[in-house]
Amino acid sequence: MASGGVARGRLTEERKTWRKTHPHGFVAKPATLPDGSVNLMVWKCVVPGKEGTDWEGGYFPVTLHFTENYPSNPPTCKFPRKFLHVNVYDSGDVCLSILGDAWKPSITMRQILIGIQDLLDNPNPASPAQDLAYDLFTKNMLEYRKRVRQQAKRYPSLV
């Protein structure tokens, strides 16, 4: 296959699978280029906060950027800048093991998005990416939870 053929082929298959069986409340769509064509290398996604958590009610935008080396290399995953979470850098980049050392080419976009949803309410303070969120999480859990609930309200469902 031509350069990027493996990545695009895999993403085409994942798109077909996603359309048939995606988890409730999640959204994952390839970005649209200015000419109206589909850009399989950039996906606009929405990850819902889990019911019964401080994240509930929020529908959080995440952008997945794939390279021509996918699935050998993981995509980069980004929330909006300044997203409050222990494992999200101020830039929005997500710090998650399955996107780093634990990456395997068999991991699917579905697994990535579910992993990000799980990370929301189960941060890993041993791998902090953001000082503010880490300090609140480790020193003032009530304030951390309050800010998470406020953040969830800033990302309501678009449906």
Side-chain angles (χ1 to χ4, degrees):
M1 280 191 174
S3 175
V6 172
R8 292 173 204 286
R10 165 75 178 264
L11 290 167
T12 298
E13 289 306 310
E14 288 202 46
R15 184 178 186 205
K16 287 177 189 172
T17 301
W18 181 266
R19 285 174 156 171
K20 293 177 190 169
T21 60
H22 65 275
H24 179 73
F26 285 77
V27 175
K29 295 180 180 180
T32 304
L33 293 168
D35 67 3
S37 64
V38 170
N39 181 0
L40 284 172
M41 305 310 280
V42 177
W43 289 65
K44 301 295 184 181
C45 306
V46 174
V47 174
K50 279 187 184 176
E51 288 184 24
T53 72
D54 293 320
W55 299 89
E56 181 176 7
Y59 291 82
F60 305 101
V62 178
T63 303
L64 300 166
H65 294 267
F66 297 90
T67 68
E68 302 294 342
N69 296 325
Y70 179 75
S72 295
N73 294 350
T76 56
C77 301
K78 283 188 165 232
F79 281 102
R81 294 180 62 73
K82 303 289 185 185
F83 189 85
L84 182 75
H85 190 279
V86 174
N87 305 113
V88 176
Y89 291 94
D90 284 339
S91 64
D93 287 307
V94 178
C95 178
L96 179 63
S97 62
I98 64 169
L99 298 172
D101 294 344
W103 175 256
K104 295 181 284 200
S106 60
I107 295 173
T108 64
M109 186 170 32
R110 175 190 182 106
Q111 290 168 308
I112 292 167
L113 294 174
I114 289 171
I116 290 171
Q117 183 191 49
D118 288 339
L119 182 69
L120 288 176
D121 199 52
N122 297 297
N124 179 3
S127 185
Q130 185 183 130
D131 291 337
L132 173 63
Y134 175 78
D135 288 344
L136 287 172
F137 186 82
T138 58
K139 297 174 184 160
N140 189 348
M141 183 57 80
L142 288 176
E143 181 63 19
Y144 177 80
R145 293 182 68 200
K146 175 184 164 192
R147 291 194 188 192
V148 165
R149 289 190 301 273
Q150 289 170 342
Q151 183 169 248
K153 289 178 183 168
R154 287 196 303 267
Y155 296 102
S157 172
L158 299 175
V159 181

